[in-house]
Amino acid sequence: MINNSSFLNIKNNCSNNVGWSCFQLGVFCLPSSALISYLFLLVALIDGSLKRRDLYWREYWNYPLLLVTFLMIIGCIRSHTGWLAWLGLFNWLPFFWCFWGLQPYLLTPERRKKCASWLVLGSLPVLITGFGQIWLGWEGPWKIFDGLIIWFISPGGEPIGRLSGLFDYANITAAWLSGIWPFCLASVVHPFIFGRNRAISCAFLISFVTAMILTESRNAWGAIFLGLPLVFGSASWSWLIPLMLIGFLPVIIAVLPVFDFGIQQFARSIVPESIWMRLTDMQFADTRPFEATRIGQWKIGFNLIFEKPWFGWGAAAFSILYPLRTGLSHGHSHNLPLELAISHGLVVSLLINLFVFSLLLISFFYKIFNNLNLQKNIIVDRAWWTSTLILICFHATDIPLFDSRINILGWILLIGLRCMIYNSTINNNSLKKFEKALC
């Protein structure tokens, strides 16, 4: 286990704040331009890695990632997808480095709060372009800085009728908004983004929830209901959960086939048609074959795993083999653990999932479970934990990770969880000294 006093022994001086400035700029630019964001984050990553390069082998959280790296490389040598297998490593290996090198920028609660603020503010172009395409018929591509930033905005959304904004697809937009909206909620409870101004925080919260609904993503709708009780904490559950159930009851009646026909029709007259039809998949009832459903895709995925369980088929294997076996085309298996096992083998999938869920559970018991109040720093960390859980849930039925912006967002959230664990094992004086060293 890493010695926390050693972690704080970072060679730095107060005049060197380039890394922290670049990290903030990278986070702010992330939804708008992956290229610009990655350039800033690369500078921050190199700077952060150099400051603690002598501590890498003393950080036990790096060990499973090193083992995964070794197994992935062996799998690429034995893969059936050739150069695609090696290209697929870029979805993982650079982010293993980020997990190590970006930790100094999220160690303290104040820095996580600042990062959360930039994530919310940086999402403003997503909201503006999304509402513009749905309500005003805006159409791209829009080019900024002589083509350095290009936003491909589809009029009416992509797919049509679903808000996608500057992202390629509505489900990707839904993942981004769902991963950020708990910070908006936390800022309404304890303002931290716009000083003490709750009005602007409320406007952002309403905009986020509206945009999430307009994506018509079932995962995003679920994220709204999941986020509320988790951000407010267990002290609110006695009144919040019953209130949510009452509000959600018409949707339940409209969707589930167990209710009387007359009652169900009445509920469907209350609930917007786009919602209950989307939840029941009625718009696809007569046109979608079984193989095109999530369950059908997972069945094919499990068959592929059983055929090559140890090192997998190689990255992008599902997109190649699925059409050969079904006659249908799809880019992934709609489940990240399944996709990992198909591409890189069961051991890699197990290790990465254990790594993620260990961070989630340990940070919960160290930082979240032991702090039931709504103080500013606590509620930001609670929102941070909630955002991480929401993105994990997204990857159970979809894989937005293949958009690099969602990928880096997920790793930033995981880094924050690791830093919460640090916070719980070092004293406040040491933490203040560390933040002063980072200035």
Side-chain angles (χ1 to χ4, degrees):
M1 187 177 194
I2 189 170
N3 186 322
N4 289 303
S5 61
S6 298
F7 179 82
L8 299 174
N9 184 26
I10 293 178
K11 298 175 182 178
N12 194 14
N13 58 72
C14 290
S15 62
N16 183 14
N17 59 0
V18 174
W20 172 232
S21 298
C22 286
F23 179 77
Q24 293 180 86
L25 287 168
V27 168
F28 176 74
C29 295
L30 184 56
S32 301
S33 172
L35 174 61
I36 293 177
S37 173
Y38 274 40
L39 291 175
F40 282 122
L41 290 176
L42 179 61
V43 175
L45 178 60
I46 294 172
D47 190 46
S49 300
L50 291 175
K51 289 172 183 173
R52 53 194 308 245
R53 59 187 179 274
D54 56 330
L55 301 175
Y56 184 88
W57 296 105
R58 301 170 68 180
E59 164 64 291
Y60 60 92
W61 287 96
N62 289 333
Y63 296 161
L65 298 181
L66 285 172
L67 180 56
V68 166
T69 300
F70 176 71
L71 292 173
M72 281 184 168
I73 292 174
I74 292 179
C76 286
I77 296 172
R78 301 163 53 94
S79 77
H80 289 249
T81 58
W83 62 271
L84 286 174
W86 295 98
L87 187 63
L89 294 181
F90 285 94
N91 285 321
W92 297 99
L93 303 194
F95 299 99
F96 296 169
W97 178 24
C98 290
F99 181 79
W100 162 253
L102 296 181
Q103 284 183 21
Y105 309 115
L106 295 171
L107 183 71
T108 67
E110 287 299 320
R111 291 194 167 226
R112 290 193 293 276
K113 184 167 63 178
K114 180 68 73 174
C115 177
S117 301
W118 289 126
L119 286 171
V120 172
L121 294 172
S123 301
L124 187 59
V126 182
L127 297 172
I128 293 174
T129 56
F131 293 141
Q133 74 178 170
I134 292 293
W135 293 333
L136 302 175
W138 289 356
E139 182 177 0
W142 292 359
K143 297 182 180 181
I144 307 173
F145 304 134
D146 199 26
L148 187 61
I149 300 177
I150 302 177
W151 294 343
F152 296 96
I153 302 170
S154 302
E158 178 59 42
I160 191 71
R162 297 176 59 187
L163 183 146
S164 56
L166 53 81
F167 286 92
D168 296 331
Y169 196 73
N171 287 350
I172 306 298
T173 308
W176 177 270
L177 295 172
S178 299
I180 307 299
W181 99 272
F183 299 127
C184 298
L185 181 59
S187 182
V188 171
V189 178
H190 252 302
F192 66 91
I193 299 176
F194 306 99
R196 296 184 178 181
N197 192 319
R198 272 194 173 89
I200 302 179
S201 296
C202 284
F204 263 85
L205 179 62
I206 294 170
S207 299
F208 264 79
V209 173
T210 302
M212 289 165 68
I213 293 172
L214 291 174
T215 62
E216 295 191 14
S217 164
R218 289 163 288 192
N219 283 331
W221 296 346
I224 296 172
F225 285 91
L226 179 63
L228 284 168
L230 290 178
V231 173
F232 280 112
S234 59
S236 67
W237 291 358
S238 60
W239 59 269
L240 181 58
I241 292 180
L243 188 64
M244 290 172 59
L245 289 175
I246 293 172
F248 195 58
L249 185 59
V251 179
I252 296 175
I253 296 174
V255 170
L256 296 181
V258 297
F259 295 96
D260 178 78
F261 179 78
I263 296 176
Q264 189 168 65
Q265 290 302 111
F266 175 74
R268 288 180 175 181
S269 69
I270 298 173
V271 179
E273 182 177 342
S274 60
I275 293 179
W276 64 260
M277 286 192 68
R278 177 73 176 153
L279 290 174
T280 56
D281 253 357
M282 287 186 64
Q283 66 269 49
F284 301 118
D286 299 325
T287 59
R288 175 179 286 183
F290 173 76
E291 290 79 7
T293 64
R294 295 286 196 272
I295 296 176
Q297 292 161 2
W298 296 341
K299 180 182 177 181
I300 298 296
F302 279 115
N303 291 338
L304 293 173
I305 292 170
F306 290 144
E307 292 175 31
K308 289 185 66 66
W310 300 116
F311 293 100
W313 295 82
F318 186 87
S319 63
I320 296 172
L321 297 173
Y322 179 72
L324 296 177
R325 302 199 176 190
T326 65
L328 303 172
S329 178
H330 217 290
H332 55 74
S333 59
H334 282 94
N335 178 276
L336 184 55
L338 195 64
E339 187 75 17
L340 275 167
I342 295 168
S343 300
H344 303 288
L346 284 170
V347 178
V348 167
S349 181
L350 179 63
L351 284 172
I352 290 182
N353 279 280
L354 284 175
F355 173 83
V356 171
F357 281 101
S358 295
L359 281 171
L360 194 71
L361 292 174
I362 294 172
S363 62
F364 176 82
F365 285 109
Y366 271 172
K367 188 72 177 178
I368 307 300
F369 181 78
N370 292 327
N371 293 280
L372 300 180
N373 58 55
L374 292 179
Q375 293 179 2
K376 186 181 296 186
N377 286 338
I378 299 303
I379 199 169
V380 172
D381 279 348
R382 189 175 292 158
W384 194 286
W385 191 91
T386 302
S387 295
T388 311
L389 178 62
I390 286 173
L391 275 189
I392 289 172
C393 291
F394 256 84
H395 285 87
T397 57
D398 203 353
I399 312 183
L401 167 147
F402 288 137
D403 185 291
S404 61
R405 292 165 289 186
I406 303 296
N407 202 348
I408 191 61
L409 172 64
W411 281 98
I412 286 173
L413 293 174
L414 290 176
I415 294 166
L417 295 188
R418 175 60 183 120
C419 292
M420 290 182 200
I421 299 171
Y422 280 131
N423 295 168
S424 302
T425 55
I426 60 178
N427 60 54
N428 289 333
N429 289 334
S430 297
L431 200 59
K432 289 178 181 178
K433 290 179 181 178
F434 177 80
E435 185 160 25
K436 184 177 180 182
L438 282 173
C439 69

